Amino acid sequence: MNFDEFTGQIQHRLEYPDTGRTVRAIRATLMTLGQRIPEGNAEDLAANLPLEIKWFLTGAVHDHGQRFDWREFVTRVSEIEGDGVDDAEAAYHARVIIDFVAEQVPPSDFQQLRDQLPESEGDENWRKLFEIVDAGGWSEAHESQTGGGPQPDAAGGDESEIAEEK
């Protein structure tokens, strides 16, 4: 898969009208993820991605292995994405992008990513990042049933609660 195919798939899933916003969402998610996980894990995860996408996880990150929780991840993604993207949108974008990455990389590399991120019940609950993956992945059927966009979480709440709880 090349850069255009990768971004085109994400653009379709996010229902964005242009490539620029799509690339910003991908960059924000993967750079922030690259900051959170160790450099070697970022390189493993990025190995099967297009060169330009790989760079977001590796070359664009100067300080790998930082310790921050899911909420901080979402805040950082939102800030990097800019363009009026709030925390709920940033969380949804990250989930969609991570689900697509999961389709592109070997299962062992994706499991290595999951092993780096605690899935506890506390503030570090990274399980939220993997909700689409855990639900069986994004599909045309899922999109047609939900209409795309941010969805209520499994507990029946709304992702906007992330912003409200700050």
Side-chain angles (χ1 to χ4, degrees):
M1 174 168 288
N2 66 34
F3 176 78
D4 291 335
E5 293 167 332
F6 189 98
T7 56
Q9 285 292 319
I10 299 294
Q11 182 175 347
H12 173 71
R13 293 176 184 203
L14 293 180
E15 299 179 358
Y16 269 166
D18 61 84
T19 305
R21 289 181 66 188
T22 304
V23 171
R24 281 194 301 275
I26 295 167
R27 178 180 55 114
T29 297
L30 296 182
M31 280 180 62
T32 306
L33 184 62
Q35 292 169 350
R36 177 61 177 83
I37 63 177
E39 185 174 6
N41 295 97
E43 290 171 359
D44 290 346
L45 188 64
N48 291 294
L49 300 176
L51 182 62
E52 301 90 342
I53 302 300
K54 177 181 179 175
W55 186 81
F56 295 144
L57 272 165
T58 58
V61 178
H62 302 290
D63 189 15
H64 291 275
Q66 298 176 33
R67 297 291 303 174
F68 52 85
D69 63 14
W70 163 249
R71 291 180 191 283
E72 177 63 19
F73 174 83
V74 170
T75 298
R76 289 182 184 200
V77 170
S78 175
E79 289 171 358
I80 293 170
E81 222 178 311
D83 203 24
V85 173
D86 65 18
D87 284 0
E89 288 174 294
Y92 176 71
H93 297 166
R95 287 183 183 112
V96 168
I97 292 163
I98 293 304
D99 177 62
F100 189 67
V101 167
E103 295 173 18
Q104 307 307 308
V105 303
S108 60
D109 290 342
F110 195 74
Q111 186 58 50
Q112 186 180 53
L113 168 65
R114 291 192 81 144
D115 292 346
Q116 293 296 314
L117 303 171
E119 296 187 31
S120 68
E121 295 299 322
D123 284 342
E124 286 226 7
N125 190 355
W126 287 91
R127 187 176 325 137
K128 294 175 183 179
L129 180 61
F130 305 109
E131 285 179 347
I132 295 175
V133 173
D134 292 342
W138 187 92
S139 68
E140 293 294 332
H142 176 75
E143 181 185 79
S144 67
Q145 289 173 0
T146 64
Q151 303 298 314
D153 67 19
D158 188 286
E159 272 304 316
S160 61
E161 292 171 1
I162 289 175
E164 292 171 8
E165 291 178 10
K166 285 187 172 183

